Amino acid sequence: MTPETRDERSAVELESPVSYHGDVIVSSYFQVLKSEKWVDALVSANLKTASGGRLCDARFTDAASYWFDLTAGKNLYTNEENNASFRMQAMIGFYCWMTNDMVHRQNDAFSFGVGFTGTYYNFTLSSDFSGFKGYENNGDKPLILRNDLRYEYRKNILSLRYDHGMRDRLYESYSIGYIRCF
């Protein structure tokens, strides 16, 4: 954290003098439809606890949240060799979180997303546009465009990711990742 970020967040320290842990998120996923002819559909139910530590450093929030969503996707193209495909997916949902506003103790939002995934041999490119729209108009309408390029070799995956935030999420991020599948 930079001194500017610390001041903006009214945090106490740049680095915590003690160790602390973040919030816990519990998620359940239910496959409600699996069809090559129609669509695949998945419902999720998620809960975030208010268990983060060192709130004075503005790293976590003392606020629980929950969200539900329905994701549907369909393979639009798969070649005969099964080494190339193109898939579209969409998501709609509901997101609710506690606030520190004494008048409105919680904010509710409609969540949404649309994206595609293309595969060619060991490469996968995923892009999606998603966000949510709350009702308080205080930074609760973020949008994000995510792009992730992955290369898989045996049980190893290398990932290059770029996220472009819009409207109420004015941040860009780049990441390089390694994933080992067991």
Side-chain angles (χ1 to χ4, degrees):
M1 183 180 327
T2 66
E4 294 80 19
T5 303
R6 177 200 58 206
D7 296 344
E8 178 185 333
R9 295 180 183 176
S10 301
V12 175
E13 305 277 348
L14 290 175
E15 291 185 30
S16 177
V18 297
S19 65
Y20 54 92
H21 302 284
D23 298 320
V24 175
I25 297 175
V26 178
S27 299
S28 295
Y29 299 93
F30 306 97
Q31 179 105 36
V32 293
L33 183 62
K34 186 169 178 123
S35 170
E36 288 186 27
K37 183 178 179 182
W38 298 99
V39 296
D40 299 328
L42 180 82
V43 172
S44 77
N46 311 273
L47 172 69
K48 182 186 87 61
T49 66
S51 58
R54 292 288 295 176
L55 298 176
C56 63
D57 289 332
R59 294 289 186 171
F60 303 102
T61 61
D62 187 20
S65 64
Y66 59 90
W67 62 99
F68 306 95
D69 56 57
L70 168 68
T71 302
K74 180 165 180 59
N75 286 339
L76 300 177
Y77 170 78
T78 303
N79 69 354
E80 291 179 14
E81 296 83 25
N82 209 25
N83 57 16
S85 65
F86 185 78
R87 180 178 181 85
M88 293 291 298
Q89 58 265 353
M91 180 272 294
I92 58 168
F94 173 77
Y95 177 40
C96 178
W97 66 98
M98 302 305 297
T99 70
N100 59 2
D101 184 343
M102 297 309 283
V103 176
H104 299 106
R105 296 297 297 152
Q106 74 180 32
N107 196 345
D108 306 322
F110 167 69
S111 59
F112 54 89
V114 62
F116 74 87
T117 302
T119 61
Y120 185 71
Y121 289 93
N122 295 353
F123 287 94
T124 301
L125 176 63
S126 298
S127 283
D128 71 79
F129 176 75
S130 58
F132 58 87
K133 190 169 186 169
Y135 66 86
E136 289 192 10
N137 294 318
N138 62 356
D140 60 352
K141 294 175 176 51
L143 298 173
I144 187 167
L145 176 63
R146 291 184 281 247
N147 300 285
D148 189 15
L149 177 63
R150 294 181 175 201
Y151 175 74
E152 184 172 354
Y153 180 71
R154 297 187 182 162
K155 293 187 175 193
N156 302 287
I157 301 173
L158 295 175
S159 170
L160 300 172
R161 183 172 172 145
Y162 168 67
D163 295 349
H164 176 72
M166 294 167 273
R167 202 164 42 192
D168 289 337
R169 186 190 185 277
L170 302 178
Y171 304 100
E172 293 190 22
S173 62
Y174 304 87
S175 66
I176 298 172
Y178 170 75
I179 302 165
R180 174 70 178 157
C181 302
F182 296 99

